[in-house]
Structures are given as structure tokens and as C-alpha cells.
Amino acid sequence: MGGLRRWLPSCCCFDRGGDGGGGRSGSVADDGLLWDVALKAHASGDYSVAVAQANEALEDQAQVLVSPASTLVGVYDGHGGPDAARFVNARLFSLIQEFASENGGLSAEVIKQAFGATEDEFMDMVAKSWPTQPRLVSVGSCCLVGAIEAGTLYVANLGDSRAVLGRRAAPGDRGKRRTVAERLSRDHNVSDEAVRREVVEAHPDDPHIVTSAHGVWRIKGIITVSRSIGDAYLKRPDMCSPALMQAICPFPMRRPVMSAVPSVRTRKLRPGDQFLIFASDGLWEQLTDEAAVDIVARSPRKGVAMRLVRAAQLEAARKKDMKYESIAAIEKGRRRRFHDDITVVVLFLDNRPPCAPAQSSGVAADEIDGTYAPVDVFSLSSDDQTDDPTRPVLR
């Protein structure tokens, strides 16, 4: 059935080697809140990963899984806490592989099934836990996945993380850029008029479904994204006590107001496609699609994801009339006042054929490799734990 099937029996977890193998092999920058993998190989090119922590607990999670013929990228941006993003990090890739094996290969429908199953499993966990851990009802995560197999790219997302393609400019493209940006995902954020209209039309009987305060649009006055994994209190009102619901939600809620159904785009890769940027909204709050693509196109590959992170931090500093060094000196938690957690994966597309030999692809014929970002950049404490909630279990 293709590359995904080859992953299933090979191992039960990633190697934790620190010399470029799978696992959390990466470097922590001087300020202690930056982490990156400068460059590694995937089936049809190279990739680079970087993370900047701003919250007290890192709410972004990320992973890249590589086989000789396929590549999976996941960026998960949590809100209300890190729990949902960590849960998705632990389960989604395994479920994609499971459904691909059962259905004869990867497809948009397989990815949707895996998203749905991840949502169901997380909601089941919340339902069992919320009497003793009521905060879990308000924890959720945006979810962005990219998958490449047999020359086809799949991009699936919930929320406002974003995938952007850098492709060679065609003769008809305007401007003088040699590489142009093409957005491949849809932001599910009610700041976008089309998304706002979609939510309003789905709830014609609710005059408070979307409200604006201080120039920010929110669903029920609470949240800006319209799709996510989790956020049980906005999908399962029965899980909340009346007192909790009154404290959290300023307007009555009779039925679910958010969705876990992803937007999925399928696209054949083309010779002019040069690289993909997958990033949480911490990057896109600071940089336009075009600015990010220009940085990658003009930079050396090695460390390019960190270059994007630093560019976003520079822009955040500029907005506050600060120097970059001032941002770098701010501790976690307080740094969130200046920028969000930022996670970036840059995937280069070199048009290598599937199952290329090791000397050309950097991935041996029977090898499974991967990278997953740390649970928490500041502490990296999970490196010393055997039970890591972010480790995908490959079946």
C-alpha cells in the first residue's frame, strides 16, 4: 500500500539517540527557551525544526516521522494548557498509520478518520477525568498535519496553524520574486470574515455565537478558533456543571459551537515546488506568508527553521520598540506577553524518487527515522522519563 505500511512492524518507538537519529536529538540555544534540529533527511529532501517557548508550560508540540517512501509532519498548538497538544502528539500518527493499513493506503478520508478518532479518544479521557480535573474541559489544540506519499501531498488542519508552500515563480506570477508563497491550509479563525460567516450560518438561532470585544472576534466571547481537538466545554456542554459553565461562558450554550472536522487539501507535487513551511500561529502572527517564504528561499538550509523563529522574535521586539536581546532575556511565562510559543518545520522538496537509495536520500531502505520536539524546552525533563506522552506508538 506504499510507505506507511512499511513503518508499522519495524519498531515500537523512536530511537533516542543524540547524534542525528530519531527522538529528541536537537540543540538548545543560549537563552534556554529555543530548541532546534538544524537539518535532517527525509524521503525526498531535508527538513529543519525549531521551537521557541514563551508560555510557562510549552503548549506547542511537533513531530516529523520519516520512512524511505513517506513523510509525516505534525504541528500541534495547544490552548488552555499543554494536555491536548501532548495527547495529539502521542496518538494521531499511530491512528493515521492504523487507518492507512486498514484502508489500503493514505488518503484524505484516512486522515479525517484519524482526526476523528483522536478527538473521540481525547474526549473519552476528559469525560473520565473531569470530576477530579475539571480544567481539562477547557483544554484544546489546533492541529496541522502534512503527509507526503507517492508524490502526493496531503495537508489537514484544525485551527490557525498554517502550511505554506514555496514554489518557483511561473512566468505569469506578478512581481520579481523567484519563489512565491502558496497557502495550502485554511485558518479556522473567526477573525476571518468567511469563517465568521460560516459559524454564524451554522447557528442561525444563536445571536451571540460570535461576538467582538476590543476589536477581537470570538466564538461565544471565548475563543477565536472554530475547529480544534478538545475544548470539551464548547462541544459537550453536558460535561460542565452549571456553575462552571456560567463562570466560563458569558452566554448560554445549548449545543456544540466548535468542530473537530479538519480541512484537508490533496495536491500532486510539481517540479517547481521547492519547500513547505508548517508552523503554529506564533510564527504567522509576526510574519506574512511571503516574508517567511523569502527568508527560506534566501537562506542556507541548515538552521533555516531557527532563522524563521528568530525573524518572528525580531518582529515581536520591533513592535514593542525593543531589541532582540531584550526579548531573549525574558523568562518563560512573562515572554508570552511579547510573543506566543513558536514552532516551525521546514520541509525541502528535492523531487527525489520514492524509495531512493540511502546514499541519495539519507534514509536507508529499511529505516524509520523521526524527530519530535521536547515537551518543554526550558526543562527538557521528559528526556529522563520512560513514559513520554509525546512518543508515538508505532503499531
Side-chain angles (χ1 to χ4, degrees), residues 259-325:
S259 166
V261 178
S263 295
V264 183
R265 180 170 179 182
T266 303
R267 184 186 188 280
K268 280 290 184 183
L269 293 177
R270 303 162 189 161
D273 298 339
Q274 297 177 317
F275 54 83
L276 295 156
I277 304 171
F278 299 90
S280 60
D281 74 326
L283 181 78
W284 307 115
E285 286 175 351
Q286 309 298 340
L287 301 180
T288 65
D289 298 4
E290 292 76 16
V293 163
D294 283 349
I295 289 169
V296 176
R298 297 174 182 177
S299 301
R301 288 192 178 191
K302 189 172 184 179
V304 72
M306 182 60 76
R307 190 177 294 269
L308 284 173
V309 167
R310 289 186 184 275
Q313 291 180 310
L314 280 167
E315 178 60 16
R318 185 195 66 78
K319 291 175 180 177
K320 298 290 187 179
D321 293 322
M322 298 170 61
K323 294 183 178 180
Y324 171 79
E325 292 76 14

Side-chain angles (χ1 to χ4, degrees), residues 66-90:
V66 174
S67 84
S70 304
T71 302
L72 279 177
V73 176
V75 173
Y76 318 120
D77 181 0
H79 46 262
D83 310 76
R86 293 180 183 181
F87 188 95
V88 175
N89 208 32

Side-chain angles (χ1 to χ4, degrees), residues 215-234:
V216 179
W217 289 97
R218 299 180 186 275
I219 294 176
K220 303 299 285 187
I222 299 172
I223 194 166
T224 59
V225 293
S226 61
R227 305 190 197 188
S228 69
I229 298 293
D231 294 303
Y233 70 123
L234 297 174

Side-chain angles (χ1 to χ4, degrees), residues 71-205:
T71 302
L72 279 177
V73 176
V75 173
Y76 318 120
D77 181 0
H79 46 262
D83 310 76
R86 293 180 183 181
F87 188 95
V88 175
N89 208 32
R91 290 296 295 140
L92 182 58
F93 277 13
S94 293
L95 288 164
I96 289 174
Q97 294 168 56
E98 180 179 314
F99 288 120
S101 180
E102 293 173 356
N103 290 276
L106 191 64
S107 66
E109 187 56 36
V110 159
I111 294 172
K112 287 181 180 179
Q113 283 183 288
F115 271 65
T118 303
E119 166 84 346
D120 290 344
E121 289 187 7
F122 184 74
M123 288 296 196
D124 287 346
M125 185 272 289
V126 172
K128 294 173 183 176
S129 304
W130 79 263
T132 55
Q133 301 182 67
R135 71 172 189 84
L136 289 179
V137 301
S138 59
V139 173
S141 181
C142 299
C143 186
L144 174 67
V145 167
I148 299 175
E149 185 173 270
T152 299
L153 169 68
Y154 303 88
V155 176
N157 78 298
L158 299 168
D160 54 8
S161 296
R162 188 182 302 167
V164 174
L165 171 71
R167 59 173 176 81
R168 190 177 303 115
D173 287 327
R174 296 180 179 180
K176 297 181 179 179
R177 286 190 174 93
R178 298 178 63 182
T179 304
V180 296
E182 179 183 334
R183 190 178 299 187
L184 298 180
S185 60
R186 182 187 182 198
D187 291 358
H188 302 130
N189 190 307
V190 291
S191 63
D192 182 281
E193 184 178 354
V195 176
R196 198 158 62 244
R197 185 167 56 249
E198 176 184 273
V199 172
V200 170
E201 290 175 354
H203 300 82
D205 58 340

